[in-house]
Structure formats: C-alpha cells, structure tokens
Amino acid sequence: MEKNKVISVKNLVKSFDNDSGNQIIIDNLNVDIYKNDFTIIMGASGAGKSTLLYSLSGMDKPTSGSIVFNNKNITNMNADELAIFRRKNCGFVFQQIYMLDKMSLLDNVLTAGLLVNSDKKTVVSRAKKLFQKVNIKETTYKKTASQVSGGECQRAGIVRAVINNPSVLFADEPTGALNSDNGEKVLDILTELNNDGESIIMVTHDKKSALRGNRIIYIKDGKIFGELSLGKYEKNNKERDEKLDKFLKEMGW
C-alpha cells in the first residue's frame, strides 16, 4: 500500500552570499516525507541537516524550490502565514531547552496550546494527560523550569511540542544536552509518540538515537547521499544495529 506524503520537496536550494562568494547549503534536493514515519536526518557537521529541517518546517526560507506541506506550498507563504501554519501543523523539540524560567512547566505548555485553542479547560486537560504520558507528576509540572532537571524540562518540552496535535514533530538533536539516562527516556517518549501515529523528523549525530527511526536519510554537501529503511524500532535488535553500522560506514560517517 502506498504511503501518504505529508511533505513533498522539489528542487530545494538554500544558499547565501559571504566573503568567499555564494555558498550553497542545500543543493537541488528532492525528497518526500511520509505520514507516521520516524525519519532520521544524519550527516557530517555542515552537511545541511539542520538547514533542511528548518526549511521543511517553514522556519527558514529556501532560496528556490518548493515545499508542499499538508497539500500547501509553504514557500509561497509570507511570515505571518507561516507563523500561523507552524502553530497548527508543527511541533519543535531542540537541543537547547527553550522554557520561560519564571513560569511553571504547565504554564509554558498552556502558552503554546492557547495560541491554537482558546478553550482553556480542554487545553489543560490535554496537557495533564500528556504530562502523565511522559511521566511528569503534578508536583513537578507546577514547578518553574529553573526548579526541575534538564531531563524533566526536555520531557516538558515534548509535551509543549505536541500540545496542538501537530502533523509533524521536528526534533533537532533533542538528546544532545542530556545524560544517557535522560536521553534514553526522551527517545522512549518519541518512539511511543511515533507508535501512536505521530510523524517525526529528527536530526541527530548519535547512532543510538538514529536506531529509533524507520527511515534514515544521509545528507552530504546539501544533497541526499544515501537512504536506509530500518522498519519499526525493536529494542536490542542486533541485526538492526549491524544494518545501520554498515550503512553509516558506506556513507563515510
């Protein structure tokens, strides 16, 4: 059965001028992203991974080409239209945890949720269910961001990212600032969300994180250099590990 496309990219170019001339970051790239996939973007530093992620989500404007997201060409939208589109269709989890320190974790989440749904009772109810899903208790989500651990803050960041039922959750090195235990918890949450039907696109340098994806896209010099299909994640699957290892070696990683 043919998969449903959530994002379709055609002839994407992102470049900018510097002292050395015109530098191309994304070079005539074509790719389709499918609904319910856990898509991993890998590549060396400077390959264009994050630029691609931000372009796909409408956070960065490409130089040329088209990005059709939920049947809408977002490259034709102005800044205000893009902002509204992102609120309704995109969730974001970054390596740096952007929380307002003086607000509780719950209020941080509500600030995002109420931008889309004015029914506070409904938003609060969904937020509490999501906090439960990521194993954050009421005594914790009532604390400010500065009063909790980095792992708890990142898990709250995931709640904020999915509070509006985004079509796609975009994650840029979401475990990069966490220790191994907290990083594993975050990956478990992302895997569970994907198993529940959430489409995820994640940039990572970490092989352990990449194993969670069912599709690996390897970027080199702004182009897709290779792809690997892994199927749904299975813990402690040696064959899966070996398959990814072989692929990354072929890519020169």
Side-chain angles (χ1 to χ4, degrees), residues 97-228:
I97 305 164
Y98 297 104
M99 287 279 183
L100 297 172
D101 286 342
K102 294 182 180 180
M103 291 174 61
S104 70
L105 297 183
L106 176 60
D107 285 340
N108 267 280
V109 171
L110 296 183
T111 299
L114 292 170
L115 286 172
V116 173
N117 187 345
S118 60
D119 184 347
K120 186 173 182 180
K121 186 176 179 180
T122 299
V123 177
V124 169
S125 176
R126 174 165 168 76
K128 289 181 177 180
K129 287 176 183 176
L130 288 168
F131 275 119
Q132 187 175 23
K133 190 180 185 76
V134 302
N135 198 26
I136 292 181
K137 298 177 181 177
E138 183 175 356
T139 51
T140 302
Y141 67 63
K142 285 187 174 180
K143 292 180 180 179
T144 64
S146 59
Q147 293 175 317
V148 302
S149 71
E152 289 167 331
C153 217
Q154 186 64 298
R155 280 182 276 150
I158 293 173
V159 172
R160 183 180 58 186
V162 299
I163 188 66
N164 294 323
N165 291 299
S167 298
V168 179
L169 176 61
F170 296 88
D172 192 0
E173 299 283 2
T175 64
L178 303 176
N179 62 32
S180 57
D181 182 54
N182 281 317
E184 192 75 13
K185 289 176 182 176
V186 165
L187 291 173
D188 284 344
I189 291 164
L190 293 176
T191 300
E192 186 178 353
L193 286 168
N194 179 245
N195 288 339
D196 289 343
E198 182 67 63
S199 306
I200 301 175
I201 304 173
M202 181 170 76
V203 164
T204 185
H205 283 97
D206 179 43
K207 194 197 90 170
K208 194 173 181 181
S209 299
L211 279 167
R212 299 300 181 117
N214 65 285
R215 181 189 185 193
I216 315 294
I217 296 175
Y218 196 91
I219 303 292
K220 186 174 182 180
D221 298 328
K223 296 181 179 181
I224 294 177
F225 192 61
E227 285 195 43
L228 175 68

